[in-house]
Amino acid sequence: MGATARNGLRQHGDSSARCSVCHKRKGKVHRSRKTRKLVCASCADRARMRIAACDDCGERKLIQARGRCYACYKRVWRSARDEAQPARRASLRS
């Protein structure tokens, strides 16, 4: 068995492989750590989506990283980014 067969790539003249979830031929697929199947990025993202209560605001929404909804995740991300900005802006003016 060659390296291309192990990766799910076939010799069709192109470097595409078939996703084992949506069965579409995609340019990039990766092996899922949990199921060990070949999945494309959109199917992997869909598998991670879940609806639950947000850790910060408590509303029942689609959960993003670290158990937060998108609004709370972006709020924290922006505040961390804004704290780092003044030092960078001061160095750019000099």
Side-chain angles (χ1 to χ4, degrees):
M1 173 155 76
T4 55
R6 252 184 278 128
N7 295 335
L9 303 176
R10 302 290 174 232
Q11 285 102 15
H12 289 294
D14 58 354
S15 62
S16 62
R18 189 173 299 275
C19 173
S20 61
V21 178
C22 65
H23 303 292
K24 291 181 183 176
R25 192 164 285 284
K26 300 282 183 130
K28 285 178 104 178
V29 293
H30 67 275
R31 194 159 300 277
S32 168
R33 285 188 222 143
K34 191 163 106 178
T35 62
R36 305 304 301 158
K37 292 181 179 180
L38 291 171
V39 291
C40 61
S42 58
C43 290
D45 289 343
R46 201 174 303 120
R48 282 193 296 269
M49 290 182 189
R50 70 185 197 281
I51 295 176
C54 175
D55 290 346
D56 289 349
C57 66
E59 289 188 46
R60 190 169 164 77
K61 292 182 177 180
L62 181 69
I63 299 300
Q64 302 284 322
R66 297 186 177 99
R68 298 182 180 121
C69 66
Y70 182 75
C72 294
Y73 173 74
K74 283 304 262 190
R75 189 180 311 114
V76 170
W77 182 83
R78 282 188 193 109
S79 68
R81 187 170 167 241
D82 289 343
E83 289 172 4
Q85 287 291 336
R88 195 173 127 216
R89 286 185 190 144
S91 67
L92 291 176
R93 288 183 194 154
S94 300

